[in-house]
Amino acid sequence: MNAQSPVVEMNNIIKRFGGIHAVEDVSLNLYPGEVVGVLGHNGAGKSCLMKILSGAMGYDGGEIKIQGDAVEMSSPIDARHCGIETIYQTLALADHLNAPANLFLGRELKTRFGMLDDRKMEEETRKALRSLNPNFKNITEAVMNMSGGQRQVIAIARAIYFNARIVIMDEPTAALGPSETAMVAELIEKLRERGIGIFLISHDMDDVCELCDRIVVMKNGRKVGEHQVGEVNKDDILSLIIKGELPDNWVPRNRTTV
Amino acid sequence: MTSERTTEQSPPPRARSPFLFWMNMTGDERKDLVQKFAALFSLVVLIIAFSLTSNAFFSLGNAMTVSLQTTSIAFLGIGVTVVILTGGIDLSVGSVLALSGTVAGLLVKAGWPVYAGMGAGVLVGTLCGIINGLVVTRLKLAPFIATLGMMMIARGVALQLTGAAPVSQLGEAFGELGNGSFFRMLEKGANGLPHMIFPGVPYPVVLMVIMAIIVAFVLRRLSIGRHIYAVGSNEEASRLAGVNVNGTKMFAYATSGFLAGITGIILMSRLVTAQPNEGVMYELDAIAAAVIGGTSLMGGVGTISGTMIGAFVIGILRNGLNMNGVSSFIQQIIIGCVIIGTVYVDHLRNRR
Ligand SMILES: Nc1ncnc2c1ncn2[C@@H]1O[C@H](COP(=O)(O)OP(=O)(O)OP(=O)(O)O)[C@@H](O)[C@H]1O
Ligand SMILES: [Mg+2]
């Protein structure tokens, strides 16, 4: 896998808010078909790093390359042109609009005469949502009246509908029930098979160990660890998250067991 | 025979289908329907009440008069609704209409043809809207502040340009837009005096209907309309979804300015005089119309049809109370109560 060239290269990214170093000199790669877990304590800078990649947040230093080309990520539209889709931690839905309007927000389907094609959008949304949650009803209801899980499903559907090459998921299963979480796990598997690169932010250690190929740990804006998932166990990851370093006398776990 | 049968047969399906319709709706659809009909219902109640208390009220002639009087509130209300939908507010429309009207009047006085002078007036209004939009999107000032500033600036410019004096003797053509009407039918009576068969539909009323339909179409069927609702609903989410948030806001403020310009030239045309003092406090009527029609000041919720109903509620209240000899002071009190009552309903609706 690593023989391929990376789809995303983030080099020495810096983001500061006044005195707060939200992201400090972080470099990170992502390969096609790879799932990289991004971990860290609350406020470690995970969301900031991902927002920078998705064009939602400006950055103060560093460079971003998509498939080898340096790009200026100055707006979400730039990121979209690079094939990057994002599920934001805040879900980023327009509450008074319904599911189809949210799914196609900013890229509405239109009829030949340039008018909104609501019927087509509704149809497509129904398909997209059913594939994630077969019980999804009332899709024409304003999303403010939907459950947290349903809202999350809409945010996920929006990220995968448009054939992204890179998907960023910021705590995508935070509000989901067990069956929906399993559905997302399945979905990640499917996306990986299609060669899509995925950044997965999660606080759930089991999810991360199960779904990811590689993990990156952040602490106070810095990257403190980057490992293939087999090299570390949960205690090692926990140690990285809390102390910012591996336990003393650590050796790659897969080497000792074999 | 046939008519008897139809009247006999029709009640069951008629009675049942609205009921089924009601049963098939979700709770929110029901609430929205109630909200919508609440405004419409009060409109109907007003019409019935005034018809009973004043025999001159319920006539075609008075219907046209009310419609004509309502056009200003409706034009301004439509524009303000678009701005409020984006989560903003436009306090400047009353002053902008005065500026647009006086510019049109001064230019016509200076020898411009009427259509050019009026076109320039509308352009000035649109320009004021664009400046509002720029202040909101580039200087990032709160819409309340930005348009409050414009409210004073536009009024000041209008007063300065005219020396605070009305510009009159603008010629008959200047009064055509505000005073003319379609399908006016007169008949020479037996005594030789003209007798009116149909009062005609005033041009401003026709224009109001056209504008309402166009703006409603833009809001419902075009992506810019969808973006207006989205920006008002969640600006950050819209930005993240790739919506041109600033462009959307600019469009809203420009639309409001444009409609204020139209209102200005129509009002001045009705008076055949450019009045720099015209339209004081009209912005509040416009906002009231929007709010009575169910527009939420928080943004993201509201319709043009609602605002039209709101405009007519205010227009009919004024007209009917006048006909009943209610003093303008009492009128203010009543309209104030209506606004508070309807905003309370709006509040109840949004609290869920
Ligand atoms: N818009 C902002 N303005 C100022 N400071 C910010 C802003 N956004 C984030 N920060 C700061 O940047 C730091 C990193 O925040 P970030 O949201 O990336 O954390 P996180 O790792 O995603 O945390 P969590 O697990 O809680 O989601 C925090 O200290 C936060 O206070
Ligand atoms: Mg976060």
Side-chain angles (χ1 to χ4, degrees), chain A:
Chain A
M1 185 182 290
N2 286 9
Q4 284 177 291
S5 55
V7 268
V8 179
E9 293 170 68
M10 299 176 83
N11 296 324
N12 312 100
I13 300 290
I14 296 172
K15 174 73 193 177
R16 296 195 179 118
F17 294 104
I20 299 172
H21 295 202
V23 180
E24 195 58 29
D25 200 21
V26 173
S27 300
L28 193 53
N29 288 354
L30 180 69
Y31 293 87
E34 186 188 34
V35 183
V36 171
V38 181
L39 296 119
H41 59 85
N42 290 127
K46 310 179 292 291
S47 293
C48 284
L49 184 65
M50 292 302 128
K51 278 188 188 164
I52 288 167
L53 180 59
S54 63
M57 189 181 265
Y59 45 106
D60 302 318
E63 64 161 5
I64 298 175
K65 285 185 180 175
I66 304 296
Q67 297 201 311
D69 299 326
V71 287
E72 197 66 45
M73 281 298 174
S74 50
S75 81
I77 296 177
D78 292 342
R80 179 183 295 173
H81 288 319
C82 295
I84 299 173
E85 292 288 338
T86 309
I87 302 162
Y88 293 98
Q89 189 170 8
T90 53
L91 303 184
L93 301 174
D95 282 332
H96 299 99
L97 302 186
N98 61 18
N102 267 290
L103 203 134
F104 289 96
L105 186 58
R107 42 193 154 178
E108 290 80 7
L109 300 181
K110 295 187 190 138
T111 62
R112 265 174 308 165
F113 309 107
M115 284 177 265
L116 295 174
D117 194 345
D118 279 321
R119 190 181 303 161
K120 184 86 190 294
M121 287 195 268
E122 194 178 321
E123 214 171 90
E124 292 293 309
T125 305
R126 191 157 276 141
K127 270 190 248 163
L129 294 181
R130 287 274 160 79
S131 71
L132 290 164
N133 177 350
N135 311 319
F136 212 112
K137 289 189 206 81
N138 61 29
I139 73 162
T140 52
E141 182 115 355
V143 302
M144 75 199 291
N145 299 323
M146 293 189 179
S147 73
Q150 287 180 309
R151 293 163 58 86
Q152 199 135 34
V153 167
I154 294 169
I156 295 170
R158 177 165 66 183
I160 59 172
Y161 178 82
F162 296 95
N163 294 323
R165 278 183 306 191
I166 299 141
V167 176
I168 301 169
M169 302 184 174
D170 198 344
E171 309 199 21
T173 57
L176 296 188
S179 65
E180 284 83 2
T181 304
M183 206 77 75
V184 172
E186 214 172 283
L187 173 75
I188 290 176
E189 213 49 58
K190 260 188 242 164
L191 294 177
R192 188 214 308 264
E193 274 161 30
R194 279 175 21 202
I196 291 165
I198 299 171
F199 279 120
L200 176 65
I201 300 183
S202 177
H203 289 289
D204 187 320
M205 214 72 77
D206 293 312
D207 274 2
V208 170
C209 291
E210 205 167 299
L211 295 170
C212 297
D213 303 302
R214 193 152 55 91
I215 58 137
V216 168
V217 181
M218 290 184 68
K219 183 169 167 29
N220 297 333
R222 293 185 173 279
K223 185 172 85 176
V224 293
E226 180 168 9
H227 298 277
Q228 292 300 319
V229 88
E231 290 175 359
V232 283
N233 63 23
K234 282 181 207 165
D235 290 335
D236 300 336
I237 298 173
L238 220 51
S239 167
L240 276 171
I241 293 172
I242 296 165
K243 290 196 296 187
E245 56 193 25
L246 289 160
D248 302 333
N249 62 45
W250 174 84
V251 282
R253 303 292 168 178
N254 44 2
R255 225 167 285 168
T256 48
T257 47
V258 173

Side-chain angles (χ1 to χ4, degrees), chain B residues 177-201:
Chain B
L177 175 66
N179 299 298
S181 52
F182 288 112
F183 312 124
R184 191 182 177 84
M185 279 185 279
L186 295 175
E187 192 187 55
K188 265 238 162 72
N191 53 4
L193 289 172
H195 166 74
M196 198 188 299
I197 304 171
F198 181 61
V201 186

Side-chain angles (χ1 to χ4, degrees), chain B residues 71-81 83 90-102 104 118-130 132 150 154-155 177 207 211 215 252-268 278-279 282-283 286:
Chain B
T71 52
S72 313
I73 303 178
F75 280 124
L76 299 178
I78 291 168
V80 165
T81 300
V83 171
D90 192 345
L91 298 176
S92 69
V93 290
S95 300
V96 169
L97 82 81
L99 179 59
S100 300
T102 46
M118 288 189 164
V122 175
L123 211 63
V124 166
T126 313
L127 203 68
C128 290
I130 289 174
N132 279 334
M150 178 55 77
R155 177 73 61 191
L177 175 66
L207 199 57
M211 281 297 162
V215 176
Y253 287 96
T255 302
S256 183
F258 170 78
L259 286 167
I262 298 262
T263 318
I265 59 167
I266 289 177
L267 268 178
M268 308 298 170
E278 189 65 28
Y282 275 32
E283 54 280 337

